[in-house]
Amino acid sequence: MPLVTTKEMFKKAYEGGYAIGAFNVNNMEIVQGITEAAKEENAPLILQVSAGARKYAKHSYLVHLVQAAIEDTELPIALHLDHGADFEVCKSCIDGGFTSVMIDGSHHSFKDNMELTKRVVDYAHSKGVVVEGELGQLAGIEDNVNVSAENASYTQPEQVEEFVKSTGVDSLAIAIGTSHGAFKFKPGQKTQLRFDILEEVERRLPNFPIVLHGASSVIPKYVETINKNGGNIADAIGIPEDMLREAAKSAVCKINIDSDLRLALTAGIREHFVAHPDHFDPRQYLTPARANIKELVKHKLVYVLGCNGKA
Ligand code: G3H
Ligand code: 13P
Ligand code: ZN
């Protein structure tokens, strides 16, 4: 089976009231942990690659890892560029075999964002590739772009129809209070997502897939394991799972998860080294790390996204 686009996946997810997990990948163990979980749960998948991941692992290694995963699992998998910063990186991924790209023009003015997004859409569609755009800015860090909580801005629902109509994007990422990274809220701060904005966007864009970035829940089990085994990330806080489950039932068809994978992987490695300080074969500590990824992803597919059995 070749790589697929997200078109069919999103149509079914929208109609079925569930969401597809978009998991960030940058090495073999992460790809295997995610795809083995999806195989056991018979779930469709989006594997996404940031510019940083492309720099770290190299484009063709990632494409071939994902192709190997498709051969191994026979699942419908889309390969997506996460947070494409400009036309050139999107073009390079489109030309290099990706089936979906995000052009993140959210740091630009509304007009410049529209112009840039339309340019990417025109090129992508001519090659059969789908495009995700973004309106509104999330707080947090992604590829060295650090948006402070004060500079984050919710999506303005009154802009979405013009943006989608004039650019031709296939899906839209919106900002409703989620943020990138493992420190999404201050300790004691009330966790709030603006479901009212999501509902208004949904009303204005019928049958249109919405994307949530910054949607890791920072599962306490992995944070505790890291902290118990020499780490220090005591204040890590994510999005409560019940909120994500609610979002998955709405027009949100794609939920992005990276930080949870990092935490699960690191918890496995830290725990292993504390128990086995004499080990130095990477297979010894990457085996439990990969198993943690698999366990985490199975949990997400079944209890957060609801996309198990939908491949
Ligand atoms: O949204 C950002 C993703 O978590 C990717 O992070 O740019 O550090 O690879 P990265
Ligand atoms: P998290 O940092 O919450 O995992 O978000 C990942 C993301 O949005 C990737 O684009
Ligand atoms: Zn993101």
Side-chain angles (χ1 to χ4, degrees):
M1 182 191 285
L3 279 164
V4 298
T5 74
T6 53
K7 251 202 152 50
E8 198 58 27
M9 283 183 198
F10 286 169
K11 188 172 178 291
K12 287 193 199 157
Y14 195 100
E15 286 163 4
Y18 61 89
I20 313 290
F23 298 96
N24 286 71
V25 298
N26 51 58
N27 71 18
M28 184 187 76
E29 283 74 15
I30 298 175
V31 171
Q32 289 179 336
I34 297 166
T35 54
E36 283 168 16
K39 172 80 182 160
E40 284 183 17
E41 296 301 340
N42 194 32
L45 270 181
I46 299 168
L47 296 180
Q48 58 187 13
V49 167
S50 68
R54 249 175 123 229
K55 193 167 162 206
Y56 170 77
K58 292 192 188 164
H59 180 97
S60 69
Y61 282 84
L62 292 168
V63 170
H64 285 96
L65 277 174
V66 173
Q67 270 160 356
I70 292 174
E71 217 173 278
D72 187 38
T73 61
E74 294 176 351
L75 286 172
I77 299 180
L79 178 55
H80 174 77
L81 168 68
D82 191 26
H83 293 284
D86 51 38
F87 177 81
E88 284 67 33
V89 68
C90 292
K91 180 176 185 304
S92 165
C93 288
I94 294 163
D95 295 344
F98 283 39
T99 51
S100 174
V101 294
M102 173 189 194
I103 175 68
D104 182 355
S106 63
H107 310 288
H108 299 297
S109 69
F110 181 60
K111 184 170 164 288
D112 290 352
N113 187 359
M114 279 202 292
E115 278 173 19
L116 175 61
T117 304
K118 180 166 174 20
R119 189 171 168 223
V120 172
V121 169
D122 288 346
Y123 186 72
H125 284 182
S126 76
K127 307 281 180 186
V129 170
V130 292
V131 179
E132 172 186 327
E134 177 164 345
L135 270 179
Q137 262 184 278
L138 275 69
I141 300 175
E142 84 219 18
D143 263 342
N144 306 324
V145 178
N146 190 347
V147 181
S148 67
E150 301 79 63
N151 288 334
S153 56
Y154 294 118
T155 302
Q156 296 173 32
E158 54 283 6
Q159 291 185 333
V160 299
E161 290 132 304
E162 185 184 352
F163 187 84
V164 166
K165 207 165 157 210
S166 73
T167 59
V169 278
D170 303 279
S171 61
L172 181 68
I174 62 168
I176 60 166
T178 61
S179 60
H180 291 111
F183 302 89
K184 300 187 191 295
F185 301 96
K186 296 205 172 72
Q189 187 187 355
K190 191 169 182 297
T191 311
Q192 243 181 340
L193 291 191
R194 293 286 306 271
F195 279 98
D196 58 319
I197 295 179
L198 173 58
E199 275 165 31
E200 184 57 18
V201 169
E202 207 170 348
R203 194 184 67 74
R204 288 169 180 263
L205 297 175
N207 287 314
F208 191 81
I210 300 302
V211 178
L212 268 198
H213 282 247
S216 279
S217 35
V218 184
I219 296 179
K221 180 169 84 168
Y222 299 116
V223 175
E224 280 157 23
T225 302
I226 290 172
N227 288 333
K228 253 199 330 225
N229 291 282
N232 180 14
I233 49 163
D235 291 341
I237 301 176
I239 310 293
E241 283 189 349
D242 56 339
M243 292 189 182
L244 295 167
R245 271 200 298 275
E246 191 181 335
K249 289 181 194 149
S250 73
V252 171
C253 293
K254 172 174 180 269
I255 292 193
N256 284 12
I257 298 162
D258 187 1
S259 297
D260 276 332
L261 298 168
R262 298 176 181 193
L263 292 166
L265 188 92
T266 302
I269 293 173
R270 278 200 177 275
E271 196 171 32
H272 184 86
F273 275 128
V274 169
H276 306 281
D278 56 323
H279 279 181
F280 55 87
D281 178 341
R283 291 170 296 187
Q284 291 169 318
Y285 55 86
L286 290 176
T287 298
R290 181 175 56 190
N292 271 11
I293 296 266
K294 183 174 172 182
E295 175 194 64
L296 166 80
V297 172
K298 280 180 81 124
H299 173 80
K300 295 277 180 191
L301 298 172
V302 178
Y303 296 104
V304 178
L305 302 154
C307 60
N308 51 313
K310 309 291 187 186

